[in-house]
Amino acid sequence: MSLKLSLHTKPDVPLEADVICPDKLNGVNETAIAALTVFHGNDQTALGDFFTVKGQCDGEIQLEGDLANVKHLGSEMTIGKMIIEGDVGQHLGACMSGGEIVVEGNAHDWVAPEMTGGKITIKGNAGHLIGSAYRGSPIGMQGGEIIIHGDVKNETGNTMRGGLIAIGGNTGDFTGVNMLAGTIIVLGEMGIRNGASMKRGTIISMHHAPMIPTFSYVCTYNPTYLRMYLSYIRKLGMEVSDEQINGNYKRWIGDAIELNKGEILLYANE
Amino acid sequence: MLIKLSGGTVYDPVHGINGEKRDIYLQDGYITRKPASSIKIDKTYDLNGKIIMAGAIDIHTHIGGGKVNIARMMLPEDHRADLVSKTKLTRSGCGHAAPSTLTAGYRYAEMGYTACFEPAMLPSNARQAHMEMADTPMVDKGAYAMLGSDDFFLRMLTAKKDREAISDYVGWIINATQAIAIKVVNPGGINAFKFNQRKLDLDEQNEHYGVSPREIIKSLARAVRELGVPHPLHLHGCNLGVPGNMHTTLDTIRAVEGMPLHLTHVQFHSYGTEGDRKFSSGAAEIAEAVNSNPNISIDVGQVLFGQTVTASGDTMRQYAGHWHAHPKKWVIMDIECDAGCGVVPFKYRDKNFVNALQWAIGLELFLLINDPWRIFLTTDHPNGAPFTSYPHLIRLLMDRSFRNDMLATINKGAAAASILSSIDREYTLYEIATMTRAAPARSLGLKNRGHLGGGAIADITVYNNIKNKEKMFEKPLYVFKNGEEIVKNGKIVKVVTGGTHTLRPDYDKSIEKSLKKYFDRYMTVKLGNFKIDDDEIVEHGNGNIIVQPCT
């Protein structure tokens, strides 16, 4: 039987609940879980003050309610699965290295910063700085997958060095800024200044996007590896057409002020 | 309330008290003479066998201002690795090399310090520096305004303005930025860096202004003396970290022609070019020059091994050092084109020849300079090491066998190149009390601090007398701030806010006329907004303004 946590009291200020994570809750009984420490603003309180706890965690946690103000869910997770029925707050799956998180609603900013493995699926929209480095850190997301079906805001994949970010909708500005390696696929439109100061890595979009002057056009071609990526995300339920899988892409390289080894691929048959 | 500290062993170099058993009486935040026997004593601390000194004063520690904040922003790993939880009394914080403001204040107090001075406050950034210092509890603060690479001053030098005009400008800056002294960093060099010069020796000219560091140092040292600023010009000289810079340092000592001068983090300026690696110690020559020139005072800027971050106004030398950044990230920036700052994280390694020799050079300086009234204990926090390593440094100075044990663990080549093993000197408690209390207070002109005589502010530290001096100095038994017990057994028992030491030298107010024109033309702020009111500092939580007298 899986563990079910239902939010009964909505927090007025952000609730820091990094204890909600399969690693920390596996095999723990209901009363002990309800007594675990969470921070409501700067007040130390018990998990039970906000959540009704039911069942026992056997690797899976289900969360219900409006969790838009609940932060750090699944922080540093390594195993198991978390299913979140509603919206979720900032820092979801921060630094996670394994396991899976599924969000049925929307997510806030900072989804899976500095993630090294595992998978996050968000059915709705998400905020800024998906799979990014924390401010000041030299490396962001290093592995794993972040699949977001809706739109996201600015700085998606800031300083990312590995893994896959797939966005079903549009992204804001600075997609893949400072990127070191890895792949970002955007099925919708991107904002401005994409790939600014990227060293390596690939950003793919199905629409035309404004390019900064330090990127140069190389060729139009049909990369084989992209078919595998696109077929894979189609299997995950994203809307990718046969034309896009088989079509041609304009290849731009940059950022020339850095290594100039990054690439942005824009679907050419739009 | 009358408090008696009974029977402690007192070290008070100002009054020549060297380990004598004395009673000390505190009343209303001050130390008082022995009261008449009819007066009731409210509280007595039995301090038999304990060691009593005035509260320690750190003359050079980067605890506020733009560069420290950049270091904080740049180093999330430094914060994650060192988290401090809140307690009933104290608030949470983090950071080892660049601690958050609150944590810095708590840690200083828990080490027995009652005053700290931020040495590099850019005038354009003074408001931020004062706000950060206001956020640093427990200790008194003060800051040195940084001049020497600012456009207005360099224009004055180029135009050969008379010395009164320069003094007026310096006086105006001290008043406007609520500073207590003047610092100059790589004189003219920070500015020359922006005109693509990558080095600037003492007699080289800043190509744009046609001014040499020698002229800048002389004119500022003169202005500081003429204004009656108690602390001499606080100089971070040319060629920081460059092998062979000991000659620049010796030339600089000669350049001031007997005027008072404070050479800061001199360890970084005492390098020779001998040996296979063209890097050697110049400590002996520097120490000799300091010993024979009573107008010179120094602080060492000792290097201690481990991870830290270097934060300096010296963009030229920080840029040169960025190749050695660890972790690999760095920032060079500028404010209002009036100087700048560079932040480069750095790890000093005991097995690295250069780092190990830097460690040895610092200790050689400490041990070869005779007069503890003119040498101050600093690590140039956080540049050489975080201030939390002071107790370790004190043990290195006071315990020769411990020092030799440490010497045996460092890079063999560096140990062999250093004369450290042949130095027998061990600092006494009296000398430590001088260099960490009495001397900094005298140098900064803090009249009623740094000693335990009647009328002094009751900033007092009481230590357990332990043989291991590191243990002794890292955990004082009691710390009193303004007569209140704030630390017991190395833990905070009461949170207080310190004050801000400032100076109000007289100057000719008509300088504001030309300054106003300059501000309107070139600056992004108006002259009126540039100046910092007393209210602003007090409003942001700092206890009070303490105006120190000019000489």
Side-chain angles (χ1 to χ4, degrees):
Chain A
M1 187 191 149
S2 74
L3 172 69
K4 196 163 195 176
L5 299 173
S6 323
L7 190 76
H8 60 72
T9 309
K10 216 176 144 185
D12 313 325
V13 293
L15 185 75
E16 297 208 5
D18 53 341
V19 288
I20 303 181
C21 173
D23 298 74
K24 292 167 190 162
L25 300 186
N26 263 349
V28 185
N29 69 35
E30 285 181 12
T31 9
I33 291 176
L36 286 171
T37 307
V38 291
F39 278 88
H40 183 225
N42 60 4
D43 288 338
Q44 204 169 324
T45 60
L47 187 71
D49 295 348
F50 293 93
F51 287 92
T52 317
V53 184
K54 224 177 196 177
Q56 201 171 32
C57 181
D58 55 358
E60 189 172 307
I61 304 174
Q62 290 183 18
L63 289 121
E64 279 183 348
D66 181 4
L67 305 170
N69 234 355
V70 181
K71 302 204 294 190
H72 284 284
L73 288 175
S75 244
E76 299 184 10
M77 169 171 176
T78 63
I79 43 161
K81 188 168 182 179
M82 286 177 52
I83 300 165
I84 298 162
E85 300 291 345
D87 294 350
V88 67
Q90 296 183 355
H91 303 275
L92 174 73
C95 307
M96 74 188 273
S97 56
E100 186 179 359
I101 301 176
V102 179
V103 181
E104 300 291 341
N106 302 320
H108 213 286
D109 303 336
W110 295 105
V111 172
E114 302 189 11
M115 161 190 210
T116 55
K119 185 173 178 183
I120 291 188
T121 307
I122 292 163
K123 301 281 172 66
N125 303 324
H128 300 291
L129 290 144
I130 311 301
S132 295
Y134 275 121
R135 295 300 191 204
S137 275
I139 299 169
M141 171 178 180
Q142 296 193 58
E145 291 170 18
I146 303 176
I147 312 292
I148 297 172
H149 291 264
D151 299 333
V152 298
K153 294 176 181 165
N154 300 339
E155 294 190 48
T156 302
N158 181 336
T159 323
M160 133 184 218
R161 198 172 82 176
L164 169 68
I165 299 178
I167 311 290
N170 305 325
T171 60
D173 301 339
F174 283 107
T175 302
V177 60
N178 241 350
M179 201 169 169
L180 306 170
T183 308
I184 301 175
I185 303 176
V186 183
L187 298 180
E189 290 184 30
M190 299 196 290
I192 55 171
R193 298 182 191 131
N194 305 299
S197 101
M198 75 192 287
K199 289 198 170 79
R200 294 189 174 83
T202 307
I203 302 168
I204 301 140
S205 173
M206 296 304 151
H207 295 273
H208 174 75
M211 287 305 207
I212 53 175
T214 42
F215 274 71
S216 38
Y217 171 72
V218 181
C219 64
T220 300
Y221 75 139
N222 174 239
T224 314
Y225 79 90
L226 193 56
R227 295 178 186 204
M228 300 173 68
Y229 264 110
L230 293 174
S231 310
Y232 174 69
I233 65 167
R234 181 152 79 172
K235 252 189 252 164
L236 298 177
M238 296 191 123
E239 284 179 26
V240 182
S241 65
D242 288 341
E243 288 77 21
Q244 286 168 339
I245 291 181
N246 298 318
N248 284 327
Y249 289 80
K250 289 183 198 149
R251 182 172 191 265
W252 293 72
I253 59 160
D255 186 331
I257 59 160
E258 291 289 341
L259 269 183
N260 210 22
K261 287 183 177 173
E263 59 177 4
I264 297 184
L265 305 179
L266 302 175
Y267 182 49
N269 305 18
E270 194 189 340
Chain B
M1 181 155 145
L2 184 63
I3 300 170
K4 180 180 177 187
L5 307 183
S6 168
T9 310
V10 174
Y11 290 88
D12 183 7
V14 171
H15 298 99
I17 300 172
N18 182 5
E20 290 167 38
K21 209 166 161 174
R22 295 274 172 113
D23 294 336
I24 291 174
Y25 299 88
L26 319 180
Q27 189 164 33
D28 306 329
Y30 288 89
I31 297 174
T32 59
R33 288 176 200 289
K34 188 176 176 180
S37 54
S38 59
I39 297 174
K40 187 178 155 277
I41 289 165
D42 298 294
K43 191 170 181 187
T44 305
Y45 289 83
D46 178 16
L47 300 179
N48 240 316
K50 309 297 178 196
I51 290 187
I52 303 184
M53 295 183 186
I57 298 168
D58 196 343
I59 200 165
H60 189 109
T61 171
H62 298 278
I63 52 165
K67 65 207 168 308
V68 189
N69 231 10
I70 293 169
R72 292 185 187 117
M73 284 193 283
M74 217 168 94
L75 294 168
E77 56 270 56
D78 181 53
H79 298 162
R80 284 178 209 163
D82 192 351
L83 297 171
V84 183
S85 306
K86 75 165 184 175
T87 66
K88 282 209 175 76
L89 280 175
T90 58
R91 293 171 62 185
S92 60
C94 57
H96 169 68
S100 48
T101 49
L102 294 149
T103 304
Y106 301 146
R107 284 185 182 161
Y108 259 119
E110 288 179 344
M111 256 178 16
Y113 276 74
T114 52
C116 301
F117 290 84
E118 160 59 49
M121 173 174 75
L122 278 179
S124 319
N125 206 25
R127 191 163 270 112
Q128 149 108 20
H130 277 294
M131 282 184 186
E132 273 183 51
M133 290 195 292
D135 224 12
T136 307
M138 313 303 283
V139 290
D140 291 334
K141 284 87 47 171
Y144 315 153
M146 192 167 130
L147 291 177
S149 277
D150 50 320
D151 182 55
F152 188 84
F153 172 72
L154 292 173
R155 278 168 194 256
M156 283 176 106
L157 280 194
T158 312
K160 304 258 180 276
K161 286 271 174 30
D162 56 20
R163 35 203 275 203
E164 280 78 24
I166 288 173
S167 292
D168 289 339
Y169 173 61
V170 174
W172 180 82
I173 283 281
I174 293 180
N175 278 279
T177 64
Q178 302 271 14
I180 188 171
I182 290 290
K183 188 193 193 193
V184 54
V185 172
N186 190 352
I190 306 171
N191 183 288
F193 178 77
K194 286 176 258 189
F195 292 101
N196 286 326
Q197 283 172 272
R198 290 292 173 265
K199 67 179 263 297
L200 194 71
D201 216 333
L202 190 62
D203 288 311
E204 254 175 281
Q205 287 203 332
N206 175 321
E207 281 165 15
H208 184 78
Y209 295 92
V211 181
S212 71
R214 183 188 291 271
E215 295 165 62
I216 295 170
I217 294 168
K218 276 172 76 174
S219 93
L220 282 175
R222 195 185 296 129
V224 165
R225 190 176 59 174
E226 282 172 6
L227 286 164
V229 178
H231 188 54
L233 179 65
H234 197 92
L235 172 69
H236 155 147
C238 315
N239 291 336
L240 177 136
V242 179
N245 61 10
M246 54 179 277
H247 300 293
T248 317
T249 310
L250 294 172
D251 288 343
T252 309
I253 291 174
R254 284 189 282 270
V256 287
E257 296 160 1
M259 283 188 285
L261 180 70
H262 178 83
L263 295 168
T264 190
H265 42 72
V266 116
Q267 179 275 128
F268 291 105
H269 300 270
S270 304
Y271 304 149
T273 49
E274 280 158 33
D276 299 340
R277 305 195 196 215
K278 303 274 172 255
F279 183 76
S280 62
S281 167
E285 289 87 339
I286 301 289
E288 199 192 326
V290 173
N291 285 337
S292 57
N293 286 283
N295 58 321
I296 303 294
S297 62
I298 68 150
D299 66 83
V300 172
Q302 176 68 30
V303 158
L304 294 162
F305 305 116
Q307 175 70 48
T308 189
V309 56
T310 66
S312 166
D314 193 344
T315 40
M316 184 187 262
R317 296 307 308 155
Q318 288 292 77
Y319 176 75
H322 85 270
W323 305 104
H324 308 291
H326 176 92
K328 204 174 151 192
K329 46 188 169 184
W330 52 279
V331 169
I332 300 286
M333 68 159 300
D334 184 89
I335 300 165
E336 295 267 358
C337 275
D338 255 0
C341 83
V343 181
V344 182
F346 200 85
K347 189 171 185 177
Y348 293 101
R349 295 176 169 88
D350 56 356
K351 302 293 184 232
N352 172 297
F353 175 80
V354 173
N355 298 165
L357 196 55
Q358 286 179 307
W359 177 85
I361 292 170
L363 292 175
E364 285 171 14
L365 284 166
F366 271 116
L367 298 167
L368 293 174
I369 292 174
N370 299 327
D371 184 3
W373 283 95
R374 291 192 287 123
I375 177 168
F376 308 119
L377 186 116
T378 69
T379 57
D380 189 15
H381 163 81
N383 292 327
F387 65 80
T388 41
S389 49
Y390 286 170
H392 176 77
L393 176 56
I394 292 174
R395 188 176 180 201
L396 285 169
L397 297 178
M398 293 191 69
D399 185 343
R400 185 165 66 93
S401 64
F402 176 67
R403 184 163 71 226
N404 287 339
D405 290 348
M406 295 302 289
L407 184 66
T409 64
I410 66 166
N411 179 291
K412 296 266 177 300
S418 164
I419 56 165
L420 197 57
S421 61
S422 68
I423 305 178
D424 290 340
R425 182 175 175 195
E426 286 182 337
Y427 268 80
T428 61
L429 281 173
Y430 188 72
E431 286 173 318
I432 294 289
T434 309
M435 80 195 302
T436 57
R437 275 90 174 158
R442 188 178 76 172
S443 178
L444 290 164
L446 312 179
K447 283 275 179 288
N448 45 12
R449 282 170 169 79
H451 68 92
L452 299 169
I457 299 279
D459 288 357
I460 299 172
T461 308
V462 180
Y463 298 101
N464 290 306
N465 193 0
I466 307 175
K467 187 151 184 294
N468 180 336
K469 298 302 171 202
E470 183 170 351
K471 290 243 150 38
M472 170 174 158
F473 280 95
E474 77 189 2
K475 212 174 156 191
L477 176 61
Y478 295 109
V479 179
F480 296 89
K481 179 94 194 61
N482 292 7
E484 284 181 296
E485 181 185 324
I486 57 166
V487 170
K488 188 177 180 182
N489 281 324
K491 284 276 161 264
I492 286 173
V493 292
K494 181 168 194 211
V495 175
V496 294
T497 52
T500 300
H501 290 287
T502 61
L503 205 64
R504 300 282 153 82
D506 274 334
Y507 63 96
D508 182 357
K509 305 275 184 298
S510 65
I511 184 92
E512 287 204 356
K513 233 191 237 161
S514 50
L515 273 164
K516 185 175 183 310
K517 251 191 248 156
Y518 178 83
F519 267 71
D520 289 344
R521 173 100 197 264
Y522 296 108
M523 300 290 264
T524 59
V525 289
K526 295 279 179 232
L527 186 77
N529 297 337
F530 186 86
K531 292 193 267 187
I532 299 170
D533 268 353
D534 290 2
D535 292 350
E536 283 184 77
I537 293 176
V538 177
E539 231 168 56
H540 285 94
N542 219 349
N544 53 324
I545 304 264
I546 309 160
V547 180
Q548 294 294 346
C550 291
T551 51

